Amino acid sequence: MTGIKDFLNYVSVSGLSLSPDEKTAAFLVKQPDLEDNDYKKQLWVLDLEEGSSRKLLEDGDFLGTFFWEDAKTLFYPACQREGSTVCRRVDVHDGQVRDAFVLPALTGEIWPWGEGRYVFRRAERLGREEYPEDLSFLNQYDDGFEMIDEIPLWDNGRGFTSGRRFSLCAVTVLRGEREAADAGSVRRLTAPETTADSVLCRPDGLYYTARTYRGRNREPGIYFLPCGASRPVCLVEEGVYRISNFDVDINPATGRTQVYFTAQDSRSQCMTDDHGFYTAADGWAEKLPIEETSVCDTVSSDCVYGENPQFAVR
């Protein structure tokens, strides 16, 4: 019989990422910590030729996300101090760590976006007077209720508030004798009423999932912000799908961008309906006819116990 404490022995692996030469894989290992009432994460690497794996970074040495800069170097946000985020690089062969640059903002998630440019996700809390939501629908109710800014027990104690947004921002890093982030180049890419989730940086622009708060919460949509543009293009409409993961590819037949994602149809009357694979192009989406494949358990467990759930189109 499995007891609750047996769950403390669960080890979750997620965020698998191959090096450019496909000889090394980096991944996150996450395990519950009863003493600190938290999850501890570590960054591991696997040598695909030898089949050996080893721990590269301990919990507390990095903030969560990472990406390959070349076949032997991983880039990651390491720590936060005085309103800034220290970014570092680590050599996956000898474990040597060196500073990259200091980002003039607080974040735990950063991605490369072309030469000398990076995109990061920043949490912003709005004051009541700044809320962009239309709350006029509340006027239909009698007096006697109180508006609150946060539901404190939501999401395993993390809390839910309509006054917090996760915006996407871009920054330019100046190359020289030492790298330095240009504080004056930091700019917000998403609107104040939008909160962004997953991000894919591509040469033609930025793909991301996001939801817009206008009086009430909705399921996220998928957006594309072309390089140099100020307004995104909606690829998958909000409020239709409970999107878990997504990827983009170029359709060789048409030359157009094709979006692939796993999701539940939020219009379904049954909340237990399995996730399915979907594809979207030119503003419409359809479910792929994959009958014998269930992605629900994989996606759900990765979201709860791991980080950076993902799949890739090949």
Side-chain angles (χ1 to χ4, degrees):
M1 181 177 179
T2 301
I4 292 179
K5 288 190 176 180
D6 292 324
F7 284 97
L8 299 177
N9 297 321
Y10 277 25
V11 175
S12 300
V13 176
S14 60
L16 181 66
S17 179
L18 286 177
S19 60
D21 61 3
E22 299 189 353
K23 294 182 178 180
T24 311
F27 56 93
L28 293 174
V29 173
K30 203 168 186 182
Q31 186 171 17
D33 186 297
L34 180 62
E35 184 176 344
D36 291 340
N37 190 29
D38 198 3
Y39 288 93
K40 300 298 183 184
K41 58 182 178 293
Q42 301 165 336
L43 180 59
W44 285 64
V45 288
L46 170 66
D47 188 315
L48 297 176
E49 295 181 331
E50 298 181 0
S52 59
S53 61
R54 60 187 176 84
K55 182 168 54 180
L56 194 63
L57 295 175
E58 286 278 7
D59 186 75
D61 292 337
F62 67 111
L63 296 177
T65 60
F66 62 88
F67 60 83
W68 291 95
E69 282 196 327
D70 53 47
K72 68 172 187 176
T73 308
L74 285 171
F75 182 100
Y76 62 96
C79 60
Q80 297 176 347
R81 63 188 182 203
E82 299 178 354
S84 300
T85 302
V86 178
C87 298
R88 293 183 175 135
R89 297 182 174 95
V90 58
D91 188 307
V92 299
H93 298 307
D94 60 21
Q96 181 178 356
V97 175
R98 62 186 188 277
D99 288 341
F101 56 83
V102 177
L103 181 69
L106 295 177
T107 185
E109 302 166 294
I110 185 170
W111 304 271
W113 193 27
E115 185 63 29
R117 288 190 303 167
Y118 295 83
V119 171
F120 62 94
R121 202 169 76 119
R122 179 172 62 186
E124 299 175 339
R125 193 176 184 100
L126 305 180
R128 176 67 63 80
E129 68 282 354
E130 298 177 283
Y131 281 22
E133 290 95 331
D134 177 12
L135 301 179
S136 59
F137 69 92
L138 293 174
N139 296 332
Q140 62 183 301
Y141 301 104
D142 295 332
D143 291 339
F145 66 87
E146 178 184 355
M147 289 184 60
I148 60 176
D149 291 323
E150 185 168 0
I151 305 174
L153 301 182
W154 188 284
D155 193 14
N156 195 27
R158 292 182 177 88
F160 171 82
T161 174
S162 63
R164 183 172 59 228
R165 302 286 182 271
F166 288 97
S167 62
L168 293 181
C169 301
V171 64
T172 299
V173 174
L174 304 176
R175 308 290 184 181
E177 191 172 318
R178 292 190 63 183
E179 288 179 295
D182 180 9
S185 71
V186 174
R187 64 185 182 94
R188 178 192 285 172
L189 301 175
T190 50
E193 67 269 19
T194 299
T195 190
D197 299 313
S198 303
V199 178
L200 288 176
C201 297
R202 294 291 188 266
D204 59 338
L206 196 66
Y207 297 84
Y208 60 94
T209 59
R211 67 193 75 201
T212 304
Y213 288 85
R214 296 190 186 278
R216 56 202 68 194
N217 191 11
R218 295 198 296 180
E219 302 300 336
I222 300 178
Y223 293 87
F224 169 56
L225 181 66
C227 290
S230 58
R231 296 179 63 87
V233 177
C234 181
L235 302 178
V236 177
E237 185 181 354
E238 291 185 35
V240 180
Y241 301 101
R242 298 183 182 94
I243 299 170
S244 301
N245 310 286
F246 81 104
D247 197 9
V248 295
D249 194 23
I250 302 298
N251 188 320
T254 64
R256 296 180 178 179
T257 299
Q258 195 89 18
V259 179
Y260 299 88
F261 61 98
T262 57
Q264 284 178 302
D265 191 329
S266 64
R267 298 165 295 184
S268 171
Q269 298 299 315
C270 180
M271 294 294 290
T272 60
D273 283 353
D274 195 9
H275 281 67
F277 280 101
Y278 291 80
T279 181
D282 298 327
W284 57 272
E286 65 175 338
K287 190 173 183 179
L288 296 175
I290 303 177
E291 300 295 341
E292 299 181 358
T293 302
S294 170
V295 298
C296 183
D297 291 338
T298 300
V299 172
S300 296
S301 63
D302 207 19
C303 288
V304 175
Y305 299 111
E307 287 190 24
N308 302 339
Q310 59 188 15
F311 67 92
V313 176
R314 299 298 186 197

